[in-house]
Amino acid sequence: MVAVAALSVDGDDDEQLRQLAAWLRDEDELRGRVKVTGPAIDVGQMGGVADSIVVVVTSGSAATLCRSVFDWLARRREVQKVSLKVKNEESGTELELDCGSATDAETVLQAVCEFLEGTS
């Protein structure tokens, strides 16, 4: 299944969101699938306000996305949590998770994989 994952950072820090997006774009499996979005403006323009990161994911790229988010969090003191919402565009079903401590990584990965495989 192909789904859309939306990520937002804890707090209201536009710069941290952009840094996470750049981090995710460095992953070979996610390259070309990561976009920063804004509420009503094109965030590619100077002065744009970022709202979330949107990533197209499959069961094959889910592990890369989850691992990369937790790796990024481990290197950031100023961000404690990344919220992750995965949506199946066909059925409209959604999965919402918070990514925080490294101990959550396996649980988040398992939940996302099960969701993408249609077992949850």
Side-chain angles (χ1 to χ4, degrees):
M1 170 199 322
V2 175
V4 176
L7 298 106
S8 57
V9 296
D10 189 28
D12 198 19
D13 193 339
D14 183 62
E15 183 59 30
Q16 292 299 322
L17 193 68
R18 291 178 190 278
Q19 288 178 9
L20 175 57
W23 180 274
L24 295 173
R25 286 184 185 113
D26 282 343
E27 295 286 352
D28 288 338
E29 288 185 64
L30 302 178
R31 197 164 288 127
R33 298 177 181 209
V34 178
K35 181 179 179 183
V36 179
T37 64
I41 58 174
D42 179 4
V43 296
Q45 303 298 318
M46 284 197 55
V49 177
D51 186 40
S52 64
I53 300 168
V54 176
V55 183
V56 177
V57 292
T58 64
S59 55
S61 63
T64 300
L65 174 65
C66 292
R67 179 190 44 78
S68 191
V69 166
F70 280 98
D71 286 350
W72 182 82
L73 275 168
R75 290 165 175 75
R76 301 290 183 273
R77 289 187 182 154
E78 59 278 356
V79 178
Q80 301 297 313
K81 178 179 75 170
V82 171
S83 296
L84 171 67
K85 182 190 293 186
V86 183
K87 182 175 183 179
N88 177 339
E89 294 295 322
E90 291 178 17
S91 69
T93 57
E94 293 182 355
L95 172 69
E96 292 187 44
L97 301 163
D98 288 328
C99 306
S101 72
T103 59
D104 296 340
E106 191 59 39
T107 302
V108 169
L109 176 57
Q110 183 176 355
V112 170
C113 287
E114 286 177 1
F115 177 78
L116 291 174
E117 292 169 3
T119 59
S120 69

